[in-house]
Amino acid sequence: MKGGTVQINWHDTQPVLTLDFHPPTGILATGGSDHDIKLWAIFADESQKKLPTASYQKSLSYHSSAVNSLRFCPSGELLASGADGGELVLWKLHSTDDGQTWKVLKTLLFHRKDVLDLQWSADGAYLISGSVDNSCIIWDVNKGCVHQILDAHLHYVQGVAWDPLGQYVASLSSDRTCRVYVNKPQTKSKGLEKINFVCQQTLTKSDPQKLDDSKPTPPKTHLFHDETLPSFFRRLSWSPDGSFLLVPSGICKHLSGPEVFNTAYIISRKDLSRPAIQLPANKPIVAVRFCPVLFCLRGLKSAGLFKLPYRVIFAVATLDSLYIYDTESMPPIAIFAGLHYAAITDISWSPDAKHLALSSRDGYCTVLEFENDELGQLYSLSETKKPVGGNAHSAHLNPETVTMEIDDQDAGKLERKANSKPIEGEGTQNLSASTKNSDVKKTTKKRITPVAIN
């Protein structure tokens, strides 16, 4: 593993607010405050000594304001981009004599204020967007119109996520709530079902862990940061198999002291009413993103908290650091700190899991490169080829057969650890020699250990 901040002029030194890899080709798209979307080809250094390089390909110019979020549809044929002022644009990939080019297909107009996050459904037929106007909108992409408005939030909607199995959507707002909506289809006159999402869970407060039964029950505490969080983005994400939801911008307080620490929450598909695990961090967590590829188990003796037949890898970004987790290991497998001078804004994995990119308001992007089989062997699903894209395998999974379970024995150990000192000690940084010699700046870090929640 190696990587660092790529010193090129991404968006005329203006903040880079979002990025995403094109599923079929691995082209990286970035959006920023210069109103443009830029496409980049990412190349690995053959000598394995230098950082990956980014080569500018072309710009997509249409927006009249800062581009806050962009996401390719699973097939790669369409690109959605959301900007300030409620601008939401669909781009379509066209084949020409000179190659391929992106052209504006539709503009989706209904949001009254800035669009902050986007996510496609697994089949690419629908799109969900979150906005500063406090609403989420589900769009019918083929018709180019509003399909449903979810307006229960009381403040900015800063993150949205679509369950790859199609049963749920989730949203995260600066009103300190995460809402999970379940699809309860409505039957049309011709017998066809129409998707219809209804709020099933609202996560806002939790019961603190009680250390002494003789003392009265303490009041509930908030699960998430309020609107003073210094970031416009709270990008949450479903795992590629749909087994769990990862939610950033969390806070947690233990009764052993007044200290409040930052965390991300893992919510199991089996119980969406409360977090199952928390991932503490030294600073507020603003974005999370799953690797689109599943990996074979390595059979480690120090098994993690998850009972899955494969390994899921995901990245967690704070305002200034990046943690990479593996569901077969309890602590993070890598920590990168001091990468940027301003807040991190977005994360994206390449479709082949060779690269991980993150953007920042300082005008630069960091690209990490993983060597062959460094993350492990690809997991092959029955009667399918090895997955190489974000949703290539989701159709073969279902909520009944693919679920996350928490190992009770490990959970008990972590609960006792959480009741004493949740984040103390030396930092954890499992990096290869090439990474340690890169441009990554190192800072003193506390121990980061996932904590199971009763």
Side-chain angles (χ1 to χ4, degrees):
M1 186 191 308
K2 63 179 180 179
T5 305
V6 181
Q7 301 294 325
I8 61 174
N9 191 355
W10 292 87
H11 284 267
D12 295 331
T13 69
Q14 296 189 49
V16 186
L17 303 175
T18 183
L19 43 67
D20 199 35
F21 279 99
H22 186 230
T25 64
I27 292 292
L28 179 65
T30 60
S33 294
D34 64 347
H35 308 177
D36 271 357
I37 299 171
K38 297 187 187 304
L39 304 180
W40 311 83
I42 305 299
F43 297 102
D45 179 62
E46 296 181 357
S47 66
Q48 298 295 321
K49 294 181 180 180
K50 297 182 179 179
L51 300 179
T53 58
S55 175
Y56 171 77
Q57 302 294 297
K58 62 180 66 176
S59 293
L60 307 181
S61 300
Y62 183 85
H63 286 288
S64 59
S65 56
V67 180
N68 299 315
S69 182
L70 56 84
R71 294 291 184 263
F72 289 102
C73 75
S75 68
E77 296 178 358
L78 298 175
L79 169 66
S81 56
D84 285 354
E87 289 183 340
L88 183 52
V89 177
L90 295 182
W91 306 77
K92 184 176 177 61
L93 184 62
H94 294 269
S95 296
T96 64
D97 296 337
D98 299 328
Q100 294 181 321
T101 184
W102 289 91
K103 296 181 179 180
V104 173
L105 175 66
K106 298 172 183 176
T107 55
L108 305 179
L109 301 176
F110 198 87
H111 279 301
R112 301 182 300 278
K113 297 181 181 179
D114 307 353
V115 178
L116 297 182
D117 203 16
L118 301 166
Q119 186 63 54
W120 290 87
S121 62
D123 59 5
Y126 295 92
L127 179 74
I128 185 171
S129 57
S131 170
V132 173
D133 63 15
N134 303 354
S135 73
C136 304
I137 293 180
I138 295 176
W139 303 86
D140 186 316
V141 174
N142 294 325
K143 295 180 180 179
C145 65
V146 174
H147 178 80
Q148 186 179 358
I149 300 176
L150 308 176
D151 58 0
H153 283 295
L154 303 177
H155 213 272
Y156 305 161
V157 179
Q158 298 176 299
V160 291
W162 201 302
D163 168 24
L165 304 182
Q167 188 175 2
Y168 302 103
V169 295
S171 60
L172 185 58
S173 168
S174 51
D175 67 3
R176 312 186 82 166
T177 67
C178 175
R179 293 181 176 270
V180 180
Y181 302 83
V182 63
N183 183 22
K184 294 186 177 180
Q186 296 177 336
T187 303
K188 290 183 176 181
S189 57
K190 295 182 180 180
L192 299 175
E193 288 189 340
K194 174 183 177 182
I195 68 168
N196 176 54
F197 285 95
V198 178
C199 186
Q200 176 174 294
Q201 301 290 346
T202 302
L203 290 82
T204 178
K205 292 184 178 182
S206 66
D207 295 311
Q209 294 181 358
K210 193 175 180 181
L211 303 180
D212 189 349
D213 293 336
S214 63
K215 294 182 180 180
T217 302
K220 291 186 176 182
T221 59
H222 282 285
L223 287 171
F224 304 102
H225 279 278
D226 60 17
E227 69 275 7
T228 61
L229 178 71
S231 172
F232 267 106
F233 308 112
R234 307 185 188 207
R235 306 189 195 268
L236 67 168
S237 181
W238 284 92
S239 60
D241 59 354
S243 63
F244 56 96
L245 174 67
L246 184 57
V247 186
S249 307
I251 54 174
C252 185
K253 180 180 180 181
H254 287 293
L255 296 181
S256 56
E259 182 182 13
V260 175
F261 61 89
N262 299 288
T263 186
Y265 293 112
I266 294 178
I267 303 172
S268 171
R269 190 184 193 92
K270 279 191 169 183
D271 183 6
L272 295 169
S273 65
R274 65 187 184 93
I277 296 173
Q278 58 194 23
L279 307 174
N282 295 329
K283 289 193 176 180
I285 297 170
V286 297
V288 296
R289 197 79 180 265
F290 284 92
C291 178
V293 177
L294 302 177
F295 295 90
C296 296
L297 296 173
R298 285 174 167 165
L300 300 177
K301 292 183 180 180
S302 58
L305 294 171
F306 309 91
K307 293 181 179 179
L308 292 171
Y310 39 73
R311 293 162 46 239
V312 181
I313 294 177
F314 56 94
V316 174
T318 71
L319 289 170
D320 64 355
S321 303
L322 178 72
Y323 303 91
I324 301 177
Y325 285 91
D326 179 339
T327 54
E328 200 175 11
S329 171
M330 286 192 289
I333 59 176
I335 299 176
F336 293 84
L339 294 171
H340 293 276
Y341 292 106
I344 293 172
T345 56
D346 204 359
I347 317 172
S348 183
W349 292 83
S350 64
D352 58 2
K354 296 293 185 184
H355 294 100
L356 173 63
L358 60 152
S359 55
S360 170
R361 295 191 66 89
D362 66 4
Y364 292 95
C365 297
T366 290
V367 180
L368 304 180
E369 179 182 322
F370 300 93
E371 299 174 1
N372 292 335
D373 297 328
E374 184 174 2
L375 295 177
Q377 295 183 348
L378 301 186
Y379 178 81
S380 179
L381 297 171
S382 59
E383 301 181 359
T384 65
K385 296 181 180 180
K386 294 181 179 180
V388 294
N391 293 295
H393 53 278
S394 60
H396 303 276
L397 305 173
N398 61 74
E400 288 72 28
T401 59
V402 181
T403 56
M404 181 194 76
E405 295 182 4
I406 307 301
D407 188 284
D408 295 334
Q409 184 176 1
D410 288 333
K413 294 177 183 178
L414 287 180
E415 179 190 348
R416 291 190 291 273
K417 186 180 297 184
N419 288 338
S420 55
K421 295 180 180 180
I423 46 173
E424 286 191 1
E426 299 295 327
T428 300
Q429 191 167 23
N430 301 331
L431 306 176
S432 63
S434 59
T435 305
K436 293 177 182 177
N437 295 329
S438 69
D439 294 334
V440 178
K441 302 173 185 177
K442 300 177 179 62
T443 61
T444 303
K445 296 172 289 297
K446 300 178 181 178
R447 183 175 300 280
I448 306 297
T449 305
V451 178
I453 303 172
N454 260 347

